[in-house]
């Protein structure tokens, strides 16, 4: 079956709500390409285009796509085969009132830097940074609350996590019938932390295969990432300390289930290998991962 | 010149103070082996030995060693050639009132797990974790305040940072004549975060070469790490958010000096590559790194 394109021109959301209406319905196992526009909706095309304050609508997420058979309690598996940038430049910006160092006088906001794409890299003055794309916002319809696409939470959303890239797989809890997958807000490159509030924001095509996992062995509460080497729990909260606690609790649950440990042994074991990683420190909620090497965890579903 | 051994039996400190007296004085360029005891001073030799509360004296740091010629404003370069475990087991423990999940009822404290050393790994039940030693506490005499060896700060101290290992180099600001280097609190293995409050605590021999950098080009305020691939600023503060800010500000200063960027361009560039990493989230102050790949930074001294 040919890979089906889901275009932002057919639909994109700025809020993950419990009652999303799909722009497309696909079967479990479908191969899709999400065509995403940049997080600033094309408003920044030169260094004269600056963003005075965080726009009310930002991080447009192409979709949502309903996946047939996805029911609350299931897990949606999203294998990301490839992410390709589809513009000739990205942009990295400061915005007043946003970013890790927003309150420091020496940081000027707003400012825009255009980062042209050349030979698999973006350039910043005479520096080249290899393109390692990140899908910043990806998620499903939440259980009860609504979250704008600026906010990460248990449904995913604005996770801004460098591991959300080609070759990795992300799993979401299904809270609503059809799951309602949407994604956008890609970056050509981004540091862990996304300190200034953006990476190199850019339009992309994202190839994914979506699959419903019925009756999973694990009751998933929050997103879970699978990389080549590790399983990584992903948690968002008001503070980094709280996000660390949630990510570690989720890792402990996985380790306990796999090895028959009680929580305390799973906790002490978690303190020996892998560990906590920062996703982003700038969104209204911040995001942390807890990596557990695959030597110590098999597929939990 | 033969490598000189500095033994914990000749001297170890539980507090980094401005007025430390050296147990040995060496020349810049000296090759030393620091013989360190485990962070719990040998009190835990079986799983029946539990730690009810954080000991008043913990993380004994072998030393201090004065390095001739080190003056305030200089930088002390500590190249870590090798870290070897010197006991047949480590121990990972929970302690009441300590650790990321200390307030969660499902975590039992105190509890001790002994992790035997076998064939280059430690074992935890039937799981093996490769030995990747970490020197948990390493630092110099501070400028004005005193810090117990439980606390990390600008002088180093209880940094609990996985990059402090063989093959890497750590740089400290010199605040006092002779610098007064001391180290201990090693782990056979530790996760980024050190969530339960310890790694696999173990005695080690640490081979280092110490060197004074006179009149450095960079006025170093806090420790700086050099790995094969990156320069990493290291900052400790009350919260992870504050530590992220300090680590990012230090990275920005390095990038600005190297490339002639102003702070804002250095900030946006820092948001594209490398990024924030968690060292530990459990000590009285928490510790974060900001990695900058070496492609973008040369030796700042």
């Amino acid at each position: 079956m040919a890979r089906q394109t889901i275009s932002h021109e057919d639909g994109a959301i700025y809020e993950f709500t419990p009652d999303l209406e799909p722009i497309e319905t696909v079967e479990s196992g479908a191969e899709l390409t999400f065509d995403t526009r940049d997080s600033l909706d094309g408003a920044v095309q030169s260094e004269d285009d600056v963003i005075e304050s965080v726009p009310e609508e930002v991080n447009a997420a192409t979709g949502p796509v309903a996946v047939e058979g996805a029911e609350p309690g299931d897990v949606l598996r999203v294998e990301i085969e490839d992410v390709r940038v589809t513009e000739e430049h990205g942009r990295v910006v400061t915005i007043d009132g946003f970013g890790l160092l927003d309150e420091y006088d020496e940081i000027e906001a707003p400012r825009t830097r255009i980062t042209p794409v050349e030979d698999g890299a973006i350039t910043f003055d005479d520096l080249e940074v290899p393109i390692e794309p990140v899908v910043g916002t990806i998620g499903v319809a939440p259980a009860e609350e609504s979250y704008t696409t600026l906010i990460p939470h248990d449904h995913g959303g604005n996770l801004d996590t460098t591991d959300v890239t080609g070759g990795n797989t992300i799993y979401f809890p299904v809270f609503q019938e059809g799951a309602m997958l949407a994604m956008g807000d890609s970056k050509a490159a981004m540091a862990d932390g996304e300190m200034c509030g953006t990476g190199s924001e850019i339009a992309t095509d994202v190839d994914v295969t979506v699959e419903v996992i019925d009756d999973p062995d694990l009751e998933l509460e929050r997103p879970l990432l699978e990389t080549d080497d590790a399983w990584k729990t992903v948690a968002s909260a008001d503070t980094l300390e709280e996000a660390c606690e949630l990510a570690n609790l989720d890792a402990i649950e996985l380790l306990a289930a796999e090895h028959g440990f009680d929580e305390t042994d799973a906790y002490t074991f978690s303190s020996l290998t892998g560990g906590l990683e920062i996703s982003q420190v700038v969104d209204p909620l911040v995001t942390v991962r807890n990596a557990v090497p695959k030597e110590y965890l098999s597929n939990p579903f």
Side-chain angles (χ1 to χ4, degrees), chain A:
Chain A
M1 197 171 67
R3 190 176 280 275
Q4 183 178 350
T5 295
I6 311 295
S7 173
H8 69 94
E9 291 177 359
D10 296 328
I13 57 172
Y14 295 98
E15 190 168 35
F16 287 93
T17 67
D19 59 352
L20 290 171
E21 288 294 325
I23 62 169
E24 192 68 65
T25 298
V26 304
E27 292 180 1
S28 179
E31 298 181 350
L32 308 173
T33 297
F34 283 75
D35 166 1
T36 76
R37 60 181 180 257
D38 82 271
S39 63
L40 298 164
D41 285 341
V44 174
Q45 299 299 339
S46 83
E47 295 186 350
D48 296 331
D49 297 330
V50 297
I51 303 293
E52 298 281 353
S53 61
V54 176
E56 205 161 307
E57 295 194 326
V58 71
N59 299 339
T62 298
V65 170
V67 184
E68 288 177 1
E71 300 286 344
D74 292 343
V75 165
L76 184 68
R77 180 182 193 275
V78 182
E79 183 178 353
I80 304 171
E81 280 103 2
D82 193 27
V83 186
R84 295 177 298 282
V85 305
T86 56
E87 284 187 279
E88 289 176 0
H89 63 255
R91 65 285 285 164
V92 52
V93 306
T94 58
I95 302 173
D96 195 27
F98 195 56
L100 177 66
L101 301 183
D102 168 50
E103 288 172 17
Y104 286 77
D105 290 342
E106 56 266 53
I107 301 299
E108 187 183 303
R111 184 185 290 184
T112 292
R113 292 296 306 249
I114 296 293
T115 54
V117 172
E118 280 174 29
D119 299 330
I122 52 170
T123 59
F124 187 109
D125 280 4
D126 58 345
L127 301 178
E128 292 188 0
V129 177
I131 291 180
E132 295 181 0
V134 177
V135 181
T137 298
I138 181 168
V140 296
E144 291 177 358
E145 304 268 323
S146 293
Y147 302 89
T148 74
T149 43
L150 189 63
I151 302 176
H153 203 254
D154 298 350
H155 68 292
N158 193 17
L159 297 173
D160 286 329
T161 294
T162 51
D163 289 310
V164 182
T165 190
N168 294 342
T169 298
I170 185 164
Y171 300 79
F172 295 100
V174 175
F175 297 110
Q176 305 294 342
E177 196 174 321
M180 304 296 165
L181 178 67
M183 68 188 75
D185 176 33
S186 294
K187 297 97 174 53
M190 190 191 96
D192 277 325
E194 202 189 22
M195 290 78 96
C196 82
T198 74
S200 170
E201 308 293 302
I202 200 160
T204 56
D205 281 346
V206 185
D207 292 347
V208 300
T209 299
V210 295
E211 190 188 340
V212 177
I213 304 174
D214 287 322
D215 294 324
D217 287 344
L218 173 74
E219 198 174 316
L220 194 64
E221 286 185 64
R222 277 175 282 275
L224 180 67
L225 269 162
E226 181 183 3
T227 70
D228 278 351
D229 305 324
W231 292 90
K232 299 187 183 188
T233 62
V234 182
S236 303
D238 279 324
T239 67
L240 286 166
E241 276 78 0
E242 289 170 57
C244 286
E245 290 180 13
L246 292 174
N248 190 218
L249 284 166
D250 287 353
I252 286 170
E253 184 184 345
L254 294 172
L255 285 164
E258 174 103 9
H259 299 291
F261 291 153
D262 70 2
E263 286 88 346
T264 307
D265 279 348
Y267 178 46
T268 49
F269 185 78
S270 79
S271 197
L272 297 180
T273 182
L276 298 171
E277 300 175 348
I278 288 175
S279 288
Q280 57 82 23
V281 297
V282 294
D283 296 327
L285 300 178
V286 295
T287 305
V288 165
R289 290 157 286 177
N290 191 149
V292 181
K294 281 189 170 173
E295 293 90 300
Y296 310 110
L297 272 186
S298 56
N299 188 316
F301 304 112

